[in-house]
Amino acid sequence: MEPIKILDNLYWVGAVDYDIRDFHGYLTPRGSTYNAYLIVDEKITLIDSVRHGFESELLSRVSKIVDPKKIDQVVSNHAEMDHSGGLPEIMKYIGSEKPLYASAMGVKNLAGQFKGADINYKTVGANLSLGKDELVFVETRMIHWPDSMFSFLPSKGVLFSQDGFGMHLATPERFDDEVCEAIWGPYALNYFANILTPYTTQISNLIQKVAADGLIPKIKYILPDHGLIWRKDPGRILALYSEWVKQAPKRKAVIVFDTMWHSTEYMARELTDYLAQQGIETRYFSLKNQHRSEVVTECYEAAAILVGTPTINNQHFPSVADFLCYVKSLKMKNKIGASFGSYGWSGEGPKLVQSELQSMGFELPSPEVRIQWVPEEKDLEPLKVLGKTIAEAIKKL
Ligand code: FEO
C-alpha cells in the first residue's frame, strides 16, 4: 500500500475499491476510489477520508510517509459515508484530541452519523494554517450535499474538490495523463448524470463565480474524492462541466421499456426504427437487462425519452416505475417525453407514465400510444405517427 506523490509534500493516500458494483443504487461497473490526501507541512494535514473498511489501507499508505499518529489535523470536505465512514477509526488512531475540521453543516452531519464517537469537531473559518502554508475554504452547498465544501491550496494551485470532477473508475493509475479520455470520458459523464444532474444550477453558478473572481487560471491541479487526479489538463474537465451544466439536448432519443409478453418490446423495436429512419440517433434499452443508472447516462444528452410499459394490475410495470422515480429525482431539464405500451383490457400503464413525465416538466407533443393485445403490422400506424411527431419535435430544437 504505497502513497502516490502528487507534488512535494502532497500525497494521495486513499483507497481503491475494485469490487464495488452498487453505489447506493447506482451501478459502478469498474468500481471506485476513495481519494484522500496528505499535506506534509509544519502541521501534517489529512484531507478527506475513506469508506469504512478501508481505514487500514489509508493508514498504511500514510505510514510510508509519516507515522499516522503525527497527523495534526483532518479536513472533511464532504460528510457522505464513502468519505466520512472511516473517520471514527482514523480519528481514534491518530488521537481523538486532534481537530477534525468541516463546514458548519458538515460538523452537524458528522455528529449525526457518529453519535457517541469521541471526535474533536471544529467548524472551519475562511482558512486554516498548515504552518508555512494555508488552506482556503469555499462553501459549495448542495454540490452535492448541504455540507459540501472545497479546500484550496493557493500556493500550489491545488483544488480539493470532494465529489466534484470525480468519477467512479477504479484503476491503478491516479492521474489524467495516465488514462486516455476515451476510457475516462464515459465514466465522468455517467457520474455527472447520476450524481450531479439535480445541481446543475448550483454548479453553473459556482463556475461563473470562480471565473469572475479570476480563479480559474490559478487552479493548476484538481484533486477529487473519486477517480483520476487532474494534473495535466484540469481545464478539460472544467470545460466538460461547463458544457454539461447546460443540459443542452442533442438530436438523440432514448427508448426505454419493460415488457410482459414481448408486445411492448415489439413496439419499442418498431419505434426505435421509426426514429432512426427520421435521422435521429436512437438508443434502445430494455429494463430487463439494463441498469437504470446506465440508461440515465444515455438520457442525459438526449432530447427525448420514450418510455414503454405494459399494464399490470391497473399500474405501469414496477421496473418502469423504478426508472421513472430515479429520473424524477434527477430533475432533468429540457426533455421531450412520450409513452407507449401494449395492454390486455384496462391499459392504464402508458397513461400513468404520461402523467409522471408531465409531472417532471417534460414536453409531451403526443398523447400516449396504446395497442391492445399483440400488435400486428396493421396496428402500428399510431406508433409511426408518434415516431414522426417526436422526431419533428427534436428537429425543432
Ligand atoms: Fe462521494 Fe457524495 O460522496
Side-chain angles (χ1 to χ4, degrees):
M1 300 291 174
E2 295 293 324
I4 306 285
K5 182 177 175 182
I6 302 169
L7 294 168
D8 284 347
N9 301 321
L10 173 60
Y11 300 86
W12 175 87
V13 292
V16 182
D17 186 350
Y18 287 105
D19 297 319
I20 187 166
R21 291 293 179 271
D22 181 344
F23 203 98
H24 55 53
Y26 158 40
L27 192 71
T28 48
R30 285 189 60 181
S32 191
T33 67
Y34 314 115
N35 296 341
Y37 302 98
L38 192 76
I39 303 173
V40 180
D41 198 328
E42 286 168 5
K43 290 181 181 171
I44 295 173
T45 304
L46 177 67
I47 310 278
D48 292 323
S49 172
V50 288
R51 192 185 189 105
H52 177 53
F54 291 86
E55 296 90 340
S56 59
E57 191 168 334
L58 181 147
L59 292 170
S60 167
R61 292 188 204 279
V62 172
S63 70
K64 305 289 171 51
I65 307 162
V66 292
D67 178 351
K69 291 185 190 297
K70 291 190 173 166
I71 292 173
D72 294 294
Q73 54 193 8
V74 178
V75 173
S76 168
N77 283 314
H78 177 31
E80 190 163 4
M81 296 282 195
D82 50 327
H83 311 294
S84 65
L87 284 171
E89 204 170 308
I90 289 165
M91 299 311 292
K92 189 174 175 186
Y93 187 86
I94 68 173
S96 55
E97 76 287 359
K98 307 279 179 69
L100 169 57
Y101 289 96
S103 66
M105 192 59 85
V107 168
K108 197 172 162 188
N109 290 359
L110 291 168
Q113 288 171 26
F114 307 120
K115 297 183 182 83
D118 184 13
I119 295 176
N120 181 18
Y121 295 112
K122 300 276 185 196
T123 302
V124 293
N127 46 29
L128 178 69
S129 173
L130 304 172
K132 293 186 183 118
D133 218 334
E134 69 165 11
L135 276 177
V136 175
F137 300 109
V138 182
E139 274 215 68
T140 57
R141 286 176 72 91
M142 300 319 297
I143 308 175
H144 69 128
W145 273 24
D147 57 83
S148 302
M149 66 177 191
F150 288 175
S151 300
F152 188 51
L153 191 58
S155 65
K156 294 186 164 75
V158 173
L159 181 70
F160 300 93
S161 62
Q162 42 100 11
D163 277 344
F165 311 112
M167 67 188 75
H168 289 307
L169 176 63
T171 59
E173 298 86 7
R174 296 275 69 78
F175 297 100
D176 59 338
D177 48 289
E178 298 174 319
V179 181
C180 66
E181 186 169 342
I183 300 291
W184 65 253
Y187 290 92
L189 176 60
N190 177 282
Y191 181 97
F192 190 98
N194 281 277
I195 295 175
L196 297 175
T197 300
Y199 312 108
T200 49
T201 302
Q202 290 91 333
I203 298 167
S204 177
N205 290 342
L206 179 66
I207 291 172
Q208 284 173 36
K209 184 179 182 319
V210 169
D213 291 348
L215 294 177
I216 287 183
K218 295 179 182 168
I219 300 172
K220 307 289 184 206
Y221 306 87
I222 298 178
L223 278 53
D225 277 357
H226 297 290
L228 299 172
I229 292 166
W230 308 98
R231 74 174 172 189
K232 184 184 175 208
D233 189 7
R236 178 63 187 145
I237 193 70
L238 276 166
L240 286 171
Y241 269 49
S242 299
E243 194 55 39
W244 291 337
V245 292
K246 295 176 191 164
Q247 297 203 43
K250 291 187 175 167
R251 195 171 273 201
K252 173 176 170 180
V254 170
I255 312 277
V256 53
F257 69 97
D258 207 339
T259 195
M260 280 176 79
W261 299 108
H262 302 291
S263 293
T264 301
E265 176 187 336
Y266 176 63
M267 293 175 72
R269 284 174 182 256
E270 292 295 315
L271 197 47
T272 301
D273 287 347
Y274 300 152
L275 280 157
Q277 285 158 12
Q278 300 280 336
I280 304 295
E281 179 187 343
T282 307
R283 297 279 184 272
Y284 167 99
F285 296 111
S286 166
L287 290 168
K288 285 207 192 306
N289 53 34
Q290 200 76 32
H291 195 273
R292 59 176 173 266
S293 59
E294 301 287 296
V295 180
V296 153
T297 306
E298 291 287 345
C299 290
Y300 193 72
E301 295 181 309
I305 305 174
L306 296 86
V307 183
T309 182
T311 297
I312 180 165
N313 299 329
N314 308 109
Q315 296 293 322
H316 46 319
F317 224 52
S319 56
V320 175
D322 170 274
F323 174 74
L324 290 171
C325 177
Y326 191 63
V327 170
K328 192 171 196 171
S329 75
L330 294 174
K331 302 181 177 68
M332 287 185 172
K333 295 175 187 162
N334 308 325
K335 296 292 182 219
I336 294 164
S339 65
F340 62 94
S342 145
Y343 69 104
W345 51 98
S346 58
E348 292 91 340
K351 285 178 185 288
L352 290 166
V353 169
Q354 192 87 347
S355 166
E356 275 293 292
L357 295 174
Q358 188 167 33
S359 76
M360 295 180 209
F362 283 33
E363 179 194 338
L364 300 170
S366 164
E368 67 278 1
V369 171
R370 304 182 306 157
I371 299 178
Q372 195 166 18
W373 296 115
V374 178
E376 294 183 339
E377 186 72 32
K378 64 181 172 54
D379 302 322
L380 295 176
E381 190 54 33
L383 205 60
K384 285 184 187 160
V385 173
L386 176 63
K388 195 159 181 286
T389 305
I390 298 298
E392 282 169 1
I394 292 173
K395 286 174 185 172
K396 276 187 203 152
L397 294 174

